Amino acid sequence: LDAQLEDTLKTRQKEYETALETKSQAERSLSQLKTLQEVGGASAEEVKEAETKLAQAQRDVDSYTVVNGQVQLTEQEKQQLENT
């Protein structure tokens, strides 16, 4: 169980770090599009799409239980591992 728990935590940590990177990229993209929009280089639709992507990326990040940058398993996840 300990090895399985450790593997699950490592996987979840990698997924969380990927979600953080995706969010960071979405923030940069939105910022760039807003700057372009100010000079007529991007449409309101493009900005809206970037805002939607950022919101989804934030939801993905928020779906993890994290303490000091480390993913924690929820009680439900711990129960599932114990029952396997």
Side-chain angles (χ1 to χ4, degrees), residues 16 19-20 23 55-66:
Y16 173 69
L20 285 176
K23 179 185 170 213
Q56 179 59 53
Q58 183 65 58
R59 283 190 296 275
D60 290 346
V61 168
D62 291 344
S63 72
Y64 293 89
T65 302
V66 181

Side-chain angles (χ1 to χ4, degrees), residues 5-61:
L5 177 66
E6 191 173 316
D7 287 346
T8 300
L9 278 171
K10 283 182 182 178
T11 299
R12 299 273 289 147
Q13 185 70 35
K14 287 179 186 174
E15 291 169 350
Y16 173 69
E17 289 169 4
T18 299
L20 285 176
E21 180 57 33
T22 299
K23 179 185 170 213
S24 180
Q25 290 172 354
E27 288 171 336
R28 285 191 302 274
S29 177
L30 177 58
S31 177
Q32 291 168 350
L33 282 170
K34 283 184 173 182
T35 299
L36 285 172
Q37 185 184 33
E38 290 174 8
V39 295
S43 69
E45 185 176 313
E46 289 172 304
V47 171
K48 181 69 174 164
E49 184 178 311
E51 289 171 340
T52 300
K53 286 181 181 180
L54 176 56
Q56 179 59 53
Q58 183 65 58
R59 283 190 296 275
D60 290 346
V61 168

